[in-house]
Amino acid sequence: MGHGSDVRNLQTRATFDLKNQCFIINTPTVKDAKFWPGELGKAATHAVFQAQTYVKGKNVGVQSFVCQIRDMDSQAPLRGVEIGDIGPKYGFAAKDNGYMIFNNFKIPKSSLLSRYVEITDDGTFIQKGNIKVGYSAMMLIRIQLIDSISALLIKPLLIAMRYGYFRTQFKSLPNSQDERRIFDYQATQEKLVVCLSVAWVSRFISRKCTKMYEEMLDQIKNKNKFTKMKDLHSLLCALKAYYMEEILQQVYTMRELTGGHGYLSVNEITEILEMISPNVTLEGDACVMYQQTAKDIFKSVGKLMTGQKVKGTYEYLQDIGDYMGAKLEDKDIHDLDTLIDILKASTIYQVIKVGNDLRVKDDIPFDTKWNKIHLSEIIKTSMLHAIYLTAAECLKGVESFGISSGLKNNILHLCKIYCTDNIIKHGDMALLNGYITAAQMIEVHVSFYLQNYIGLPP
Ligand SMILES: Cc1cc2nc3c(=O)[nH]c(=O)nc-3n(C[C@H](O)[C@H](O)[C@H](O)COP(=O)(O)OP(=O)(O)OC[C@H]3O[C@@H](n4cnc5c(N)ncnc54)[C@H](O)[C@@H]3O)c2cc1C
């Protein structure tokens, strides 16, 4: 309850009892109760949980355990365990999220999940692999969230599109008594098309994450190597934060497009909103997730500054030097490669600016700089990273997935809309650093509104 985001600081305690070869689990204060786990309130008979683990008086870190918590016949909590339902909540109404408090609860030594750690009978703690492998379960859930929630976006989009197609409002057509379709207002089209673009471009980065995850598992299982884990973990933090916020916003927008009718439960949009809104918080709060990626971005820049190379999803940062004082010049602003390049430039300039702000030598402690002075810009850095990688991956993915040329052209068109929309919203750094001119920025605006109208097939 006290530590949702900061798992490392959770206070549940597992003390190894050498004599009886078991663990004794305790919740020191009510603030340290387990709170929120799904299925815990009523249904779960077994639980996987984490605890600060002590062996021979020494803290050996947060370890994971699995054990029975309820009687299999009566469903009553076992001795030493107090469990309850946390009560009604917004979203996930069908889940019986619960709380759990331990009071000298004894579990066998075999309860320790011990593929990567082990405690011998004489109380020696042995680490057998990379302890961070525990992140892989969270990584899988984050991939599933990105994949399923971005796919779910199609539903409210379709509802809003159909509504806009049949709904008419105002007799604003020239020489006609007919009312104009909602769909034919530019403001409606803009929202629908941006939403459609997010729904499509997200498919490619989510596929990339799945592929990276499979490769990572293969590497861990077959070679006992963990080198791919950090990059994917870092990428997923930014993507999880970005997509959960972005898709929630898009669904809100679809609700707005359906007017008052969108509030009727029968239309399902409010139900979807309720279902997806906790995703911004659960499995990692967006603000916290963005910061995890930001730390890795700035670490990568630090490496580059000492002449080292950076690989994986940060590889593009190696081009920082190419963008210093550079200009887009006369590259075609309507070209997708150019638009993606502007997103890359915006991200790189943001990384340079915030990195410099954090590194500046003064009396202000780094912690103050990070948390109190530059945090909003730090978060924006990670968000731009997620947007740029999304667009770049869409272009790569379309080329490599063997998609028919008709569909490919439509997806590339949507990717252009995604890029122009994001340059308008977040491309200020490319403009401020002189990479693009004001005239080029205006051209991006113009092409955005034109593309929405005339670029798409009926
Ligand atoms: C519907 C639902 C289901 C859940 N299911 C489960 C489950 O099955 N199992 C489970 O273990 N947990 C579950 N959770 C809990 C969930 O994982 C946590 O709520 C989540 O990780 C956020 O932690 P918190 O509640 O402590 O929020 P807090 O960390 O208290 O966040 C509150 C605010 O503080 C801000 N904040 C926190 N730290 C920082 C920082 N460093 N910098 C800037 N801002 C910060 C956050 O951005 C947020 O705005 C569930 C939660 C919900 C809503």
Side-chain angles (χ1 to χ4, degrees):
M1 187 194 277
H3 297 95
S5 299
D6 184 8
V7 177
R8 223 182 285 173
N9 255 321
L10 61 80
Q11 297 299 316
T12 309
R13 211 175 232 257
T15 310
F16 183 57
D17 179 341
L18 195 62
K19 188 168 151 227
N20 298 305
Q21 295 287 304
C22 68
F23 288 97
I24 301 170
I25 316 294
N26 272 296
T27 302
T29 71
V30 74
K31 192 174 141 239
D32 307 314
K34 298 290 178 198
F35 202 81
W36 275 114
E39 274 68 66
L40 180 62
K42 294 187 177 66
T45 54
H46 291 71
V48 174
F49 67 90
Q50 295 187 311
Q52 298 286 354
T53 305
Y54 287 80
V55 182
K56 293 186 184 166
K58 191 170 162 240
N59 185 337
V60 294
V62 174
Q63 305 300 338
S64 301
F65 300 85
V66 60
C67 66
Q68 187 177 342
I69 52 170
R70 281 189 168 101
D71 184 271
M72 299 293 279
D73 297 323
S74 69
Q75 203 68 8
L78 298 185
R79 198 165 152 216
V81 185
E82 180 192 331
I83 318 181
D85 193 298
I86 61 169
K89 60 206 171 272
Y90 176 69
F92 285 85
K95 265 210 186 297
D96 63 333
N97 296 83
Y99 70 86
M100 181 160 61
I101 291 169
F102 300 110
N103 186 7
N104 287 327
F105 179 52
K106 290 195 178 126
I107 55 174
K109 179 165 164 274
S110 58
S111 293
L112 177 71
L113 293 179
S114 50
R115 179 161 181 173
Y116 297 103
V117 292
E118 188 187 334
I119 294 173
T120 59
D121 292 351
D122 67 354
T124 307
F125 177 77
I126 301 167
Q127 198 164 308
K128 293 189 281 187
N130 189 331
I131 197 84
K132 289 185 179 156
V133 75
Y135 295 161
S136 65
M138 284 193 304
M139 285 154 82
L140 179 62
I141 295 174
R142 286 175 190 156
I143 293 173
Q144 287 166 344
L145 274 176
I146 296 164
D147 195 50
S148 62
I149 302 303
S150 54
L152 188 70
L153 182 56
I154 296 293
K155 197 169 182 181
L157 173 63
L158 189 62
I159 294 168
M161 268 192 179
R162 286 189 175 153
Y163 181 85
Y165 193 81
F166 291 106
R167 178 77 164 178
T168 57
Q169 205 74 260
F170 295 102
K171 291 183 179 172
S172 53
L173 294 165
N175 310 320
S176 167
Q177 279 307 299
D178 291 343
E179 290 176 302
R180 193 184 285 267
R181 284 187 314 174
I182 298 274
F183 192 76
D184 291 334
Y185 290 103
Q186 186 189 35
T188 307
Q189 286 225 341
E190 179 191 336
K191 288 169 190 157
L192 288 172
V193 168
V194 167
C195 182
L196 185 62
S197 76
V198 173
W200 270 99
V201 294
S202 58
R203 310 312 303 150
F204 295 91
I205 192 100
S206 106
R207 274 190 189 210
K208 181 189 167 79
C209 292
T210 307
K211 193 161 171 270
M212 283 173 78
Y213 184 76
E214 285 164 0
E215 286 170 2
M216 179 196 80
L217 278 195
D218 181 59
Q219 195 201 37
I220 293 173
K221 279 185 190 155
N222 297 323
K223 300 186 186 135
N224 202 30
K225 277 176 82 182
F226 298 82
T227 50
K228 292 182 185 287
M229 197 160 63
K230 196 167 181 349
D231 191 29
L232 179 59
H233 170 67
S234 178
L235 172 67
L236 284 172
C237 288
L239 291 180
K240 192 270 174 188
Y242 168 65
Y243 277 108
M244 296 309 107
E245 286 189 335
E246 176 68 28
I247 288 167
L248 182 61
Q249 188 51 54
Q250 292 298 339
V251 180
Y252 267 121
T253 306
M254 295 307 103
R255 214 283 317 135
E256 281 167 23
L257 284 183
T258 52
H261 298 278
Y263 280 104
L264 284 172
S265 297
V266 70
N267 289 323
E268 285 193 51
I269 298 186
T270 47
E271 196 180 294
I272 292 172
L273 269 179
E274 186 179 346
M275 187 166 81
I276 68 170
S277 72
N279 292 335
V280 174
T281 299
L282 58 80
E283 293 301 329
D285 167 83
C287 185
V288 176
M289 292 292 94
Y290 273 137
Q291 290 181 64
Q292 297 216 5
T293 306
K295 279 178 192 151
D296 291 330
I297 291 175
F298 297 121
K299 262 189 216 155
S300 300
V301 175
K303 270 190 176 176
L304 289 170
M305 286 169 71
T306 57
Q308 297 174 67
K309 290 208 158 150
V310 290
K311 288 190 184 148
T313 48
Y314 297 112
E315 202 166 334
Y316 74 95
L317 292 173
Q318 298 207 143
D319 299 339
I320 280 184
D322 300 344
Y323 284 84
M324 303 292 259
K327 289 189 188 317
L328 185 68
E329 305 289 4
D330 54 0
K331 281 195 202 155
D332 184 359
I333 207 96
H334 303 281
D335 192 50
L336 181 56
D337 286 319
T338 308
L339 293 168
I340 294 177
D341 180 48
I342 297 172
L343 285 178
K344 178 177 170 183
S346 301
T347 312
I348 283 182
Y349 293 128
Q350 177 76 8
V351 170
I352 296 171
K353 178 191 173 295
V354 182
N356 286 344
D357 288 343
L358 289 169
R359 263 191 308 275
V360 88
K361 290 213 175 350
D362 53 26
D363 295 338
I364 305 170
F366 184 79
D367 168 77
T368 307
K369 283 185 190 165
W370 185 281
N371 291 299
K372 294 192 84 85
I373 306 179
H374 301 301
L375 188 52
S376 301
E377 289 291 321
I378 289 168
I379 288 165
K380 183 177 169 188
T381 311
S382 271
M383 189 186 66
L384 285 174
H385 174 74
I387 292 170
Y388 162 62
L389 290 178
T390 293
E393 197 50 42
C394 177
L395 180 60
K396 253 196 251 163
V398 163
E399 298 300 342
S400 62
F401 277 124
I403 297 169
S404 72
S405 64
L407 181 59
K408 186 170 140 181
N409 287 340
N410 286 345
I411 296 172
L412 291 178
H413 188 81
L414 287 170
C415 190
K416 270 191 193 176
I417 289 172
Y418 178 79
C419 292
T420 45
D421 179 44
N422 278 297
I423 292 169
I424 290 168
K425 285 179 186 152
H426 310 293
D428 50 338
M429 289 308 278
L431 184 64
L432 292 172
N433 283 274
Y435 189 67
I436 55 170
T437 62
Q440 284 169 322
M441 191 56 143
I442 290 168
E443 190 54 33
V444 172
H445 277 73
V446 171
S447 69
F448 175 67
Y449 291 110
L450 284 180
Q451 277 172 17
N452 280 345
Y453 260 128
I454 57 175
L456 280 179

